[in-house]
Amino acid sequence: MAQFRQADGSDNYTIDVWIRAGNVLVEDNNGASQLGQLSIDAQTNGVEVLVFFKGSKATVLAREIDHDADKTWSTVCSNATVSDSGTGTSKVQFGHRAASTAESRWLWFHFVSDEYAGLVPSSGGFTNPDDLDGAPFTSLAKTYVDDGVFVRAVDGPTAPGNSWNIDTRYEYPVTNILPDSEPSPAKGWRSTDETAQTIAFATTGVNRYSEIGLYLDGINFRNATLDGYDGSSWTTLASIDTATGQTGLAYLQGGTSIGVNPAGSTAPGRYFELDELIGGTVRVNPSSGTDFSRTITRNGPGQWTEQAGYLRASVEINSTPIVLSNTGTLDIWSPRILVAIHNLPSSYTRFRLVIAASQNTTDGFYKIGQMALGPLYLFSQDYSWGRTVETAPNTELVTYRDGSRSSFKRGKNRRAVSFGWGEGVDTTAIQGSAPQPDFVEGTSTSGALPIGYRGDVPSLLERLNHFTAGPNLPLVYCPSVAAGSSGADVKTIQGLSASLYGRIVSGVQTDSIVGDELDG
């Protein structure tokens, strides 16, 4: 307990503050009466108690200790009247005032008096927060507020009652996933929990493209939707599942390694490249025990099947539960995905990504490294067989005078792809005053609009390079997009080689036969 006494030659006011396991109690020591009581867990984490005592008025507040600066104080008593017992000596005591074998633990005890306690009239008592002293601030030095925030004056003067608002600036804001503001997926966006999240975009007019794509990289969730707004209501355009074709996989576990169960019955799925799943999620449903999610740190190449003649894939996870059944099934959530939508109506003026709530991620929140939403420009003619794919390490190798070497990994490897039309492209079909070229469709759905002409590739590439200003605006390269069909115009594309987020780092060159330019 703590005892506070205010006394002079003619007055003596004393209160006792008792801190117990389940409550904080304030008593008038002179009148032996209870001034207030608050039910609070004072044992698990401990409590903070704030006492203001002046003349015959006492105010006591309390709260559990959790180091949260925004946590509200609860009232034990407010401006309670304390009786006067006559003369005495002022003092403050805390701990065990009487002999006892009990133990108490005090983390801190602060005491201020006189003018340092604030100029509060004894007749009115203490009112929180009106009677709290403010912290001074000037233009010469900054004053700490909370959670890494400082303020200082940049203009003046100020007067009592003035107030300012400090807008929240997030460490992982949604602007981190927009290619034109933060091109790199290294920073990314994060939510604060696993409630449903909505990220919306508006166009300046109606959508002009019948083919659009949504690229997500560095993600840790499984389910979401891409919706479109037509001026009156939202419509789901695509249901996103990052575990498409990667569910119900029979596993055999040993430590942090999880591989194919030879006794399982799993049909061959797609081929996983070496380490393409790093940063993804594995959701494990053990044959006994509780489901759990873990982050994938590495993966072996192959397919997830026990059938003969197939290379068997595997994953490494960052940690395992204390108790884990070594068999069961699992789902793999890809860390990146591309969704292509064919035959999109032009009526949509807004789009939004809606991430479903409560997906039990490893992190306890949702995250996206990079998001690209925009039109799909599909080539109407295949490029030559000579496509080149390159991977360059981002590692610095230093050779010292004695011949020894050290290496420093500066970041992830960079991938690059180059391609062209070595045999040329016949553009005469789209030239002349009234061309009637062959058109290309992205889907066999009835009524779908053409998406390109035979022969328009050189013009399309040149204008795309102009639009992106070369490397200024990132884009997503897709070597192949499956055509749509009636009822199946949404295509989910997975795999490391199935898409490449990057920049155009070269110009576009086209060759023509002199004298035949623009001839139909």
Side-chain angles (χ1 to χ4, degrees):
M1 61 90 70
Q3 185 178 88
F4 303 87
R5 177 182 296 171
Q6 294 185 112
D8 54 22
S10 58
D11 297 311
N12 184 344
Y13 302 98
T14 305
I15 62 171
D16 296 328
V17 180
W18 298 89
I19 303 175
R20 299 170 175 172
N23 60 65
V24 173
L25 173 68
V26 180
E27 290 184 336
D28 182 349
N29 183 272
N30 300 327
S33 62
Q34 180 176 306
L35 302 180
Q37 178 175 306
L38 172 67
S39 295
I40 188 172
D41 181 6
Q43 190 170 19
T44 303
N45 299 316
V47 291
E48 294 177 293
V49 180
L50 178 65
V51 178
F52 179 86
F53 191 18
K54 185 171 185 179
S56 62
K57 298 293 183 180
T59 295
V60 180
L61 309 172
R63 64 182 181 181
E64 290 187 44
I65 295 177
D66 60 5
H67 306 290
D68 186 352
D70 295 330
K71 187 167 183 177
T72 304
W73 290 91
S74 297
T75 302
V76 183
C77 66
S78 178
N79 292 322
T81 300
V82 184
S83 60
D84 185 2
S85 66
T87 61
T89 303
S90 296
K91 66 178 180 179
V92 175
Q93 293 181 315
F94 69 96
H96 297 286
R97 296 181 60 246
S100 173
T101 58
E103 294 182 1
S104 60
R105 180 175 298 174
W106 296 77
L107 302 180
W108 59 77
F109 192 99
H110 302 283
F111 170 75
V112 294
S113 63
D114 302 324
E115 68 272 18
Y116 301 105
L119 302 177
V120 181
S122 57
S123 59
F126 173 80
T127 302
N128 184 38
D130 298 349
D131 293 329
L132 294 177
D133 286 341
F137 63 98
T138 71
S139 61
L140 301 177
K142 58 185 180 180
T143 299
Y144 182 73
V145 179
D146 180 51
D147 197 23
V149 176
F150 293 84
V151 296
R152 69 179 180 89
V154 295
D155 202 355
T158 62
N162 287 356
S163 62
W164 296 266
N165 180 64
I166 301 175
D167 294 329
T168 302
R169 185 174 65 181
Y170 293 98
E171 188 174 358
Y172 300 96
V174 72
T175 51
N176 279 358
I177 66 173
L178 304 179
D180 55 350
S181 61
E182 186 58 57
S184 172
K187 294 183 179 180
W189 162 84
R190 294 181 184 180
S191 64
T192 56
D193 52 31
E194 287 196 17
T195 56
Q197 303 292 316
T198 300
I199 302 173
F201 300 85
T203 59
T204 54
V206 295
N207 171 54
R208 306 191 310 273
Y209 308 102
S210 62
E211 311 278 319
I212 68 169
L214 171 66
Y215 174 77
L216 298 169
D217 192 1
I219 56 178
N220 68 338
F221 55 86
R222 175 176 175 178
N223 296 116
T225 62
L226 179 64
D227 302 339
Y229 184 75
D230 61 5
S232 60
S233 62
W234 288 96
T235 301
T236 297
L237 306 177
S239 295
I240 301 169
D241 184 357
T242 62
T244 298
Q246 300 165 186
T247 61
L249 309 178
Y251 77 84
L252 183 65
Q253 177 266 346
T256 57
S257 299
I258 301 179
V260 175
N261 187 347
S265 179
T266 305
R270 75 175 183 89
Y271 174 77
F272 296 110
E273 296 183 54
L274 175 66
D275 289 343
E276 75 159 78
L277 298 174
I278 291 178
T281 301
V282 60
R283 180 69 179 169
V284 180
N285 177 22
S287 54
S288 63
T290 305
D291 292 8
F292 65 90
S293 299
R294 290 293 185 271
T295 299
I296 299 174
T297 58
R298 293 206 65 183
N299 75 272
Q303 292 165 272
W304 205 282
T305 181
E306 77 289 343
Q307 296 184 19
Y310 290 92
L311 183 64
R312 296 180 181 179
S314 61
V315 295
E316 296 284 336
I317 58 178
N318 57 340
S319 64
T320 59
I322 297 176
V323 179
L324 170 64
S325 173
N326 64 351
T327 60
T329 61
L330 57 82
D331 303 333
I332 294 176
W333 306 355
S334 295
R336 68 189 61 81
I337 194 170
L338 173 65
V339 178
I341 304 176
H342 298 287
N343 195 31
L344 185 73
S346 62
S347 56
Y348 297 111
T349 58
R350 303 173 190 171
F351 299 92
R352 69 182 184 187
L353 176 71
V354 181
I355 306 173
S358 305
Q359 299 192 42
N360 296 316
T361 67
T362 302
D363 305 293
F365 54 81
Y366 300 131
K367 61 183 181 181
I368 301 175
Q370 191 57 257
M371 174 178 176
L373 173 65
L376 279 175
Y377 295 98
L378 303 178
F379 299 147
S380 59
Q381 181 170 331
D382 291 346
Y383 42 66
S384 300
W385 286 100
R387 182 175 76 118
T388 302
V389 179
E390 177 186 356
T391 300
N394 186 12
T395 300
E396 179 182 352
L397 186 62
V398 179
T399 303
Y400 300 100
R401 291 181 177 180
D402 61 357
S404 62
R405 285 183 170 182
S406 294
S407 63
F408 304 91
K409 184 179 179 181
R410 302 302 185 187
K412 296 182 179 179
N413 286 20
R414 290 194 177 276
R415 294 186 297 152
V417 60
S418 58
F419 53 87
W421 286 259
E423 65 281 0
V425 177
D426 183 5
T427 63
T428 57
I430 62 171
Q431 307 299 347
S433 59
Q436 291 184 323
D438 291 340
F439 59 84
V440 178
E441 295 177 334
T443 175
S444 60
T445 300
S446 176
L449 296 174
I451 61 170
Y453 281 150
R454 296 294 185 189
D456 67 355
V457 168
S459 172
L460 178 63
L461 285 175
E462 192 274 332
R463 298 317 301 168
L464 277 178
N465 195 280
H466 176 83
F467 172 71
T468 61
N472 184 61
L473 183 64
L475 48 69
V476 179
Y477 161 76
C478 321
S480 176
V481 177
S485 59
S486 180
D489 278 334
V490 177
K491 300 298 180 182
T492 298
I493 303 170
Q494 294 169 286
L496 186 63
S497 297
S499 58
L500 189 154
Y501 173 79
R503 305 169 187 268
I504 300 177
V505 294
S506 68
V508 175
Q509 176 181 315
T510 59
D511 297 325
S512 301
I513 300 175
V514 177
D516 287 343
E517 298 95 335
L518 306 182
D519 280 353

